[in-house]
Amino acid sequence: MNYKDSEQEAKWRTEVSQFLTAEAPEEYRVHHKPAVDSYGSGDETFQAWRKAVGRKGWLASHWPKEYGGASLSVMEQFIMKEEFALARVPHPGGRAVEMVGPTIILHGNDQQKSELLPPILSGEHIYCQGFSEPQAGSDLAAVQLRAVRQGDDYILNGQKIWTSNATTCNWMFLLARTDPDAPKHRGISYFVTPVDVPGLTVRTIEDMAGGHELCEAFFDDVRIPATYRIGEENRGWYVAMTTLDFERSGIAGAVGVQLSLLDLIQILKQNGTGSHRRTELAEYYIESCVAREMSYHVADLQNRGLVPNYEASMVKLFSSELSRRVATASVGTLGLPGTLLKGSKGYEVQEGRIARYYSGSIPSTIAGGTSEVQRGIIATRGLGLPRG
Ligand SMILES: Cc1cc2nc3c(=O)[nH]c(=O)nc-3n(C[C@H](O)[C@H](O)[C@H](O)COP(=O)(O)OP(=O)(O)OC[C@H]3O[C@@H](n4cnc5c(N)ncnc54)[C@H](O)[C@@H]3O)c2cc1C
């Protein structure tokens, strides 16, 4: 593939970059404030930024224009994500724009499109993802949350877990079992529902860094109108899978790990320390360049109309594990101050960014498919090895 931008792509990159320089909040761009609690928590900076990106027409960059999107090509989406990541500015689309909207556009009926898409674009409906269950994570098709048709509604009973941001989101997209007798991939349906409905209880789970974004959701005779089933009954697995068909090069993660490494190097230069880890850090830098090249490769495949599968797993595996190595090296090099969060009487490094980076690097090898599962995909689909 050609790693250089075409003339048109270079023009687009400049346009995105100029917009970010002119409009992105300084908190992100200059002070590198993380976009925490961006899912419906009312963070003012984030909400204002969301509106600015929306006004520009880039919020739903991959949606077709007729639904309020920008109809960007895969490569344009890729360049946009890369520029946002390089500027350390969050793209405020979120799961609603990235995952639910495209699913409704592909599989929803006209009524669902006109009712459910506008509130996603206006930021009124903020979605969490109710896929994982206590016994269904890597093996997602094992979902047991039961949905039984009753007249015009479905009645749902069961549990979801690891539902990020469920306490601050007001809608959820979820998978539920509608036919327990069918083969497991063929008895699942895809639904959306407001979170604030009778019988749906959400509880937070404290994570290792003291965060409260992870949640579990309990369904006790929750009634969802059949009009909120997206796609055919029992075809939900296939509906959910198409959501993954959009740009998925993992470029933001690959850029993120490189910037974190450059941050570390900057601190070490200022402190005049870390020279004993020179070779190790140089190796990580080379690996971060490899991660970015891998992302380019995935985007290029998609841009040529091909569907990456093991290639996307390679990026996910390599970037998230590299992130762990860099985060561990950061804490290892900086010592105890590197483990302190913001508000630690000034002893923390970079307002606690290093500590947050470290605690975030650990779940990154689990969320969105564990490293072992990615290795399995690479082994079987990439290398053609037999299943174990
Ligand atoms: C920070 C974070 C946020 C998340 N947010 C959400 C969310 O918003 N919505 C949502 O639905 N889910 C979410 N998840 C859940 C996530 O998708 C699952 O944790 C993940 O898919 C793994 O499933 P599991 O936790 O059930 O582990 P399991 O699947 O039970 O795996 C346990 C261990 O067995 C290994 N293993 C499992 N299967 C295989 C295999 N075939 N080959 C080799 N090893 C295997 C795994 O690698 C792992 O080490 C989130 C998770 C995290 C960490």
Side-chain angles (χ1 to χ4, degrees), residues 368-380:
T370 67
S371 287
E372 290 77 16
V373 167
Q374 308 303 337
R375 284 195 176 91
I377 293 170
I378 296 164
T380 51

Side-chain angles (χ1 to χ4, degrees), residues 8-29:
Q8 207 183 352
E9 287 163 355
K11 220 168 127 200
W12 169 239
R13 191 181 288 284
T14 307
E15 185 182 343
V16 175
S17 158
Q18 283 175 345
F19 169 72
L20 292 173
T21 308
E23 304 250 356
E26 284 202 0
E27 278 121 298
Y28 299 137
R29 203 168 42 78

Side-chain angles (χ1 to χ4, degrees), residues 129-132 137-138 161-164 214 363 366-370 372-373:
Q129 180 183 13
F131 279 15
S132 303
S138 303
I161 196 166
W162 315 125
T163 323
S164 301
L214 289 172
I366 301 170
T370 67
E372 290 77 16
V373 167

Side-chain angles (χ1 to χ4, degrees), residues 39 63 93-102 120 125-127 173:
Y39 287 101
W63 294 18
R95 293 180 208 101
V97 168
E98 296 292 330
M99 302 174 89
V100 190
I120 290 179
H125 289 184
I126 301 164
Y127 279 80
F173 61 105

Side-chain angles (χ1 to χ4, degrees), residues 33-50:
K33 178 188 158 193
V36 282
D37 295 339
S38 47
Y39 287 101
S41 64
D43 177 278
E44 280 177 22
T45 307
F46 188 83
Q47 299 313 330
W49 176 228
R50 193 174 198 290

Side-chain angles (χ1 to χ4, degrees), residues 110-292:
D110 289 346
Q111 164 64 23
Q112 290 169 333
K113 286 177 192 170
S114 61
E115 183 187 339
L116 297 169
L117 293 178
I120 290 179
L121 281 182
S122 65
E124 217 179 309
H125 289 184
I126 301 164
Y127 279 80
C128 54
Q129 180 183 13
F131 279 15
S132 303
E133 296 181 7
Q135 301 306 324
S138 303
D139 184 14
L140 184 58
V143 288
Q144 292 302 320
L145 173 72
R146 188 77 171 94
V148 177
R149 182 81 187 236
Q150 202 178 82
D152 289 340
D153 300 325
Y154 285 87
I155 310 295
L156 276 72
N157 281 287
Q159 186 196 343
K160 293 289 171 186
I161 196 166
W162 315 125
T163 323
S164 301
N165 316 97
T167 47
T168 52
C169 292
N170 52 12
W171 278 68
M172 183 187 295
F173 61 105
L174 61 94
L175 294 177
R177 188 153 300 280
T178 33
D179 184 353
D181 300 321
K184 66 180 181 180
H185 292 86
R186 299 202 187 143
I188 296 170
S189 298
Y190 187 111
F191 295 94
V192 296
T193 178
V195 172
D196 183 19
V197 286
L200 179 47
T201 312
V202 175
R203 280 200 226 130
T204 56
I205 304 171
E206 189 170 336
D207 67 30
M208 59 181 270
H212 293 89
E213 289 176 8
L214 289 172
C215 300
E216 50 190 344
F218 298 91
F219 292 73
D220 187 9
D221 285 335
V222 171
R223 190 172 283 272
I224 299 186
T227 49
Y228 285 163
R229 191 193 71 227
I230 311 295
E232 283 176 45
E233 189 177 71
N234 296 326
R235 300 288 298 167
W237 178 260
Y238 308 97
V239 172
M241 290 307 110
T242 53
T243 306
L244 302 174
D245 277 353
F246 296 92
E247 197 278 322
R248 54 188 183 119
S249 64
I251 185 62
V255 169
V257 70
Q258 193 165 59
L259 292 180
S260 301
L261 183 59
L262 292 175
D263 280 351
L264 173 66
I265 292 168
Q266 188 63 28
I267 299 169
L268 296 177
K269 274 185 183 167
Q270 277 164 3
N271 294 352
T273 55
S275 56
H276 60 296
R277 303 192 85 145
R278 210 178 270 258
T279 312
E280 182 189 354
L281 297 180
E283 273 169 16
Y284 291 149
Y285 187 77
I286 294 166
E287 288 180 33
S288 74
C289 295
V290 172
R292 282 183 71 175

